[in-house]
Amino acid sequence: MPYADSAETAHRWATERSIALWAFFAGDLADVDVTALTAGFATARADGARFALVVPDGRTASAAERGVADFVVDGQSAPSPFGLFTALQVAGVADARRLGVLGASVDTIQSGHRAGAGIVVGIAVEDSTVRRPLLEAQPDIITAADGFAALDATRCASNRAHRQRVLLNPGPSVVSDRVHRAVGGPDLCHREPEYPEILDGVRRKLLKLAGVSDEWAMVMLAGSGTAAMEAMTGASTRPGRKLLVCKNGIYGERIETIARRLGTEVVTVGASDLQPIDPAAVAAALDADPLIDAVAVIHHETTAGLLNPIHEIAAESNRRGVLVLVDAISSFGSEHLDLDGTGIDFVASTSNKCLHGLPGAAFVLVSPRGQERINAVPPRSLYFDLPGYLKAQAKRTVPFTPAIPAIYGLDAALDELLDEGLEHRQGYYQARMDYLDREFTRLGLEPRVAPGLRSRCVRSLPLPEGISYDTLHDAVKADGYIIYGGLGEAAKTSFRVCALGALKIEALQGFIASLERAVSTNSIAVGA
């Protein structure tokens, strides 16, 4: 599965079957099963699928087998995959991932895996004593022959509901094949020495991208970005002190909620979701209350796609000896972020947004000064105890089971980012949004946030007059694009378009065409 590299790719994802060719071996399926498959084959064939019969040397295909096949090829016996390769070649299908294999034996199922088939299906009646032997070969699914039609419709057909789409939501993002392949790495016990070696590598790469020294700590958590947010919030404020929360959107409100539930007294500095937090207001709040121990601010408030002036806020806080927590969940990797010597001591982020990994791995970066602070704060949680993680890491272990597949994916995504170069990644994020901004203006959908305050990956847009969000969402989804609803007070009047992940401008061109069609179809004059 390639990443979203063009409008054509997005169109294929939205309209094509996932399996173009089904193959089976002569003599492998019982005649009764071949007969039961006939109706399902006809339905799939009407949807564009083709069926290949592979006849091994020394075997003769039955009339029933030939009758349900579109073409017959000679090939080696399973578990050899070469007959399947011949079938692909004859069918003109260049990607083995668009091959499906049907088999009633361990050898046939193995041949499908060896050929790299997109799906390998065991055919057996609903009886565990019959199905159990097939498990030795690890089919992707086992179905009775008369269940093939439903299976094909659900997982392979051109109109299947669950399919790859271009995600224009604020995470998770579309990722590359490199990341998808990495997630399928070896099963690994996190108590073995191989795991801390992987974690050390991820830490080095994150610190390099963050531009900080090895004195900074990294804690990896199994969870969403909110897990990292909660961990740093709970570790930042000493007993009897207060946390100042900068609040101009849903995620500032989330930090406030976390802090209050942890029993931390909170002071807030607010603004609307279209205006950044004023550093002078933060300075005034700090001067007015000497009990404030830390300041929490969202770097990229994805409520409306607004950037907050975190470096200016950190400078004001640093002058007063107050530590700063930054939620960089949707900015790390795409936005400019200086850390060393800026007064920022905690950074929370996640794998599945601008780093182009998959969900499940969140992390907190902690400065040397921040490490002193967390050791002075009594733990308020077992799972989110940052000092507990650092103590375990010092012993080359972890306190709890990590999300190892997500970390495999993050490791590959970080390699991909370093290969690309951070400046190039950030520049391409900007280029994508520049393109979208021009097109939104042309369509009369001016982003709600002023140009100088916008992020590089999220836009909040007014809903076209007379079109509900659900109508707009469903129209572009039919073309293979997923947009996102507005948040907070703007939920009824706005929607969001986000350009995160392995996504090219050429794919966004297809989205703009889809959006324009949706607006036009609903009888709203473009640009009105």
Side-chain angles (χ1 to χ4, degrees), residues 295-316:
V295 173
V297 59
I298 311 298
H299 187 192
H300 173 211
E301 181 52 84
T302 56
T303 300
L306 175 73
L307 290 177
N308 278 311
I310 58 169
H311 297 109
E312 292 83 350
I313 291 170
E316 294 291 351

Side-chain angles (χ1 to χ4, degrees), residues 1-4 164 173-177 179-180 356-358 416 501-502:
M1 182 191 72
Y3 64 90
Q164 180 66 43
S173 59
V174 176
V175 304
S176 67
D177 268 0
V179 172
H180 279 296
H356 303 186
L358 292 168
E416 194 169 59

Side-chain angles (χ1 to χ4, degrees), residues 307-338:
L307 290 177
N308 278 311
I310 58 169
H311 297 109
E312 292 83 350
I313 291 170
E316 294 291 351
S317 303
N318 196 38
R319 290 188 190 101
R320 294 160 175 82
V322 176
L323 277 64
V324 173
L325 294 64
V326 171
D327 170 349
I329 289 170
S330 59
S331 67
F332 193 86
S334 66
E335 305 291 345
H336 178 67
L337 179 61
D338 281 337

Side-chain angles (χ1 to χ4, degrees), residues 255-269:
I255 284 192
E256 179 185 11
T257 299
I258 290 169
R260 292 192 187 282
R261 290 191 179 183
L262 291 172
T264 299
E265 189 171 350
V266 174
V267 175
T268 63
V269 170

Side-chain angles (χ1 to χ4, degrees), residues 160-505:
R160 66 194 183 280
H162 184 47
R163 63 194 311 138
Q164 180 66 43
R165 292 183 171 92
V166 178
L167 302 184
L168 302 179
N169 51 277
S173 59
V174 176
V175 304
S176 67
D177 268 0
R178 179 175 182 171
V179 172
H180 279 296
R181 289 193 298 269
V183 172
D187 297 329
L188 175 63
C189 174
H190 57 290
R191 302 299 179 193
E192 293 299 305
E194 291 81 5
Y195 178 73
E197 290 178 6
I198 294 169
L199 189 62
D200 284 349
V202 169
R203 175 182 176 273
R204 287 193 300 271
K205 294 165 191 175
L206 285 172
L207 296 187
K208 181 177 181 179
L209 290 168
V212 297
S213 70
D214 193 55
E215 294 178 337
W216 279 63
M218 186 278 293
V219 171
M220 186 66 65
L221 300 163
S224 69
T226 302
M229 186 190 293
E230 182 161 335
M232 75 172 182
T233 301
S236 64
T237 307
R238 291 169 290 187
R241 305 293 186 92
K242 302 177 183 179
L243 176 67
L244 189 155
V245 176
C246 300
K247 187 170 64 170
N248 58 342
I250 294 296
Y251 296 97
E253 293 176 5
R254 182 172 296 183
I255 284 192
E256 179 185 11
T257 299
I258 290 169
R260 292 192 187 282
R261 290 191 179 183
L262 291 172
T264 299
E265 189 171 350
V266 174
V267 175
T268 63
V269 170
S272 80
D273 63 359
L274 302 181
Q275 293 295 323
I277 298 295
D278 183 358
V282 174
L286 292 173
D287 289 340
D289 193 339
L291 289 180
I292 294 174
D293 213 21
V295 173
V297 59
I298 311 298
H299 187 192
H300 173 211
E301 181 52 84
T302 56
T303 300
L306 175 73
L307 290 177
N308 278 311
I310 58 169
H311 297 109
E312 292 83 350
I313 291 170
E316 294 291 351
S317 303
N318 196 38
R319 290 188 190 101
R320 294 160 175 82
V322 176
L323 277 64
V324 173
L325 294 64
V326 171
D327 170 349
I329 289 170
S330 59
S331 67
F332 193 86
S334 66
E335 305 291 345
H336 178 67
L337 179 61
D338 281 337
L339 297 179
D340 257 349
T342 63
I344 296 172
D345 293 289
F346 296 87
V347 176
S349 196
T350 185
S351 58
N352 65 299
K353 295 186 187 287
C354 301
L355 293 179
H356 303 186
L358 292 168
F363 58 90
V364 182
L365 304 181
V366 189
S367 74
R369 185 171 68 163
Q371 292 167 54
E372 293 178 5
R373 170 60 59 84
I374 65 177
N375 288 321
V377 177
R380 300 173 182 178
S381 168
L382 175 66
Y383 193 78
F384 296 130
D385 177 22
L386 292 183
Y389 279 88
L390 293 179
K391 289 174 184 175
Q393 287 174 199
K395 298 178 181 178
R396 307 285 294 166
T397 187
V398 288
F400 309 105
T401 304
I404 291 174
I407 292 170
Y408 281 155
L410 175 58
D411 192 27
L414 294 174
D415 284 338
E416 194 169 59
L417 174 49
L418 290 168
D419 289 342
E420 178 184 351
L422 181 60
E423 289 186 4
H424 185 276
R425 167 74 58 87
Q426 293 173 341
Y428 198 70
Y429 262 74
Q430 186 64 58
R432 290 192 303 208
M433 296 314 295
D434 287 345
Y435 165 75
L436 287 175
D437 284 343
R438 290 192 299 271
E439 292 299 309
F440 292 148
T441 297
R442 181 179 66 82
L443 295 175
L445 301 173
E446 191 65 26
R448 295 173 60 237
V449 173
L453 306 176
R454 298 171 185 169
S455 77
R456 291 171 172 162
C457 62
V458 175
R459 291 292 180 267
S460 175
L461 302 160
L463 282 167
E465 183 181 351
I467 302 179
S468 70
Y469 169 71
D470 288 342
T471 297
L472 188 64
H473 170 274
D474 292 350
V476 297
K477 183 176 181 179
D479 288 334
Y481 299 92
I482 300 297
I483 58 175
Y484 219 57
L487 285 176
E489 294 181 1
K492 295 181 180 179
T493 59
S494 69
F495 69 104
R496 287 180 293 167
V497 174
C498 315
L500 292 77
L503 172 65
K504 284 203 166 184
I505 291 174

Side-chain angles (χ1 to χ4, degrees), residues 26-41:
D28 184 61
L29 300 172
D31 286 344
V32 65
D33 287 335
V34 173
T35 301
L37 285 165
T38 302
F41 279 19

Side-chain angles (χ1 to χ4, degrees), residues 121-179:
V121 178
I123 299 296
V125 296
E126 293 185 16
D127 183 335
S128 60
T129 60
V130 177
R131 293 188 172 191
R132 195 177 303 126
L134 292 182
L135 296 178
E136 297 288 332
Q138 293 295 290
D140 295 306
I141 191 169
I142 301 176
T143 184
D146 60 6
F148 170 78
L151 169 68
D152 181 80
T154 301
R155 298 182 61 160
C156 310
S158 60
N159 64 348
R160 66 194 183 280
H162 184 47
R163 63 194 311 138
Q164 180 66 43
R165 292 183 171 92
V166 178
L167 302 184
L168 302 179
N169 51 277
S173 59
V174 176
V175 304
S176 67
D177 268 0
R178 179 175 182 171
V179 172

